[in-house]
Amino acid sequence: MTACVLVFAGLDPGGGAGLAADILAIAAQGAHPLPVATALTAQDNNRVHAARPVDAAWIARQAAPLLAAFEIGAVKLGIPGNAANAAAIADVIRALRARRPTLPVVLDPVLASGHGDALGQGDAVGALRELLALATIVLPNLPERAALEAHGGLAGRQALVTGGHAAGDIVVNRWLVDGVEARAWRWPRLPHGYHGSGCTLAAALAARLALGEHMEAALDAAQAYTHHTLAQSYALAPGQRIPRRLLQPTT
């Protein structure tokens, strides 16, 4: 059977981030995405103009047939939209963990768009609190790490802290286990801004874990894949570029 990844994230009509990014990144690893929409958004490659969470009851309604029909190998979490949706997602994860206690859960703790635009309703950090407690690994960037740590959100967790917001020609991503650095990866900084790079990384990691890879190998593969998608990115309009998640062969 093909490994399946259950995905909770918002819908980006521009196709650059959220569920659109997750679907392609998971499929590119050889796994199958099961996308559950948490929010509808109005956005382009640069800004989020509006976001509306779906009704929390529809989170459970979308997920129920998937849990009944498919063997789920990992879960990837993007924006919940609000605290009620986060609680509904947490209930789904607990149901899955009752069947498989070691089920990997990858959380991309998106607190706002790259321009600071809201991606849901209410307190973004507060909405994630219940999901943070269930996550196997969290993938914050540097501002997200600071916001989460201010609320004690990373205590006792594994995290891959991505360093794209720091200065310098090298981007350093640090794997932390209960606050202690287990390994760091160094990647050459690429020259553009990118829409949906965090979604791509988290989705690829969830897929690699669903395929049975151990965490360090999965982190290796997901980061290398994501770096290649950025190196092969393309422009749809001025501003942020779109990662090429279906990679072209290189010569």
Side-chain angles (χ1 to χ4, degrees), residues 69-137:
F70 304 117
E71 183 70 27
I72 293 168
V75 178
K76 185 268 177 179
L77 305 177
I79 61 166
N82 59 22
N85 283 2
I89 294 167
D91 286 342
V92 173
I93 294 171
R94 282 189 283 265
L96 288 168
R97 286 260 174 86
R99 304 181 198 170
R100 183 182 170 190
T102 59
L103 178 74
V105 175
V106 177
L107 173 59
D108 178 15
V110 185
L111 303 180
S113 77
H115 284 272
D117 303 317
L119 289 163
Q121 296 175 343
D123 176 9
V125 175
L128 289 178
R129 191 167 290 115
E130 194 169 3
L131 299 177
L132 282 163
L134 294 168
T136 306
I137 186 167

Side-chain angles (χ1 to χ4, degrees), residues 159-220:
L160 180 71
V161 180
T162 57
H165 286 75
D169 294 332
I170 300 296
V171 174
V172 182
N173 298 337
R174 302 182 188 279
W175 177 27
L176 308 180
V177 180
D178 198 11
V180 178
E181 186 174 307
R183 183 176 169 188
W185 287 263
R186 290 167 171 80
W187 301 97
R189 185 177 296 277
L190 296 170
H192 305 289
Y194 305 95
H195 185 49
S197 55
C199 306
T200 304
L201 177 59
L205 176 60
R208 304 308 303 190
L209 294 171
L211 291 166
E213 292 185 1
H214 295 297
M215 184 62 74
E216 186 170 4
L219 287 166
D220 261 331

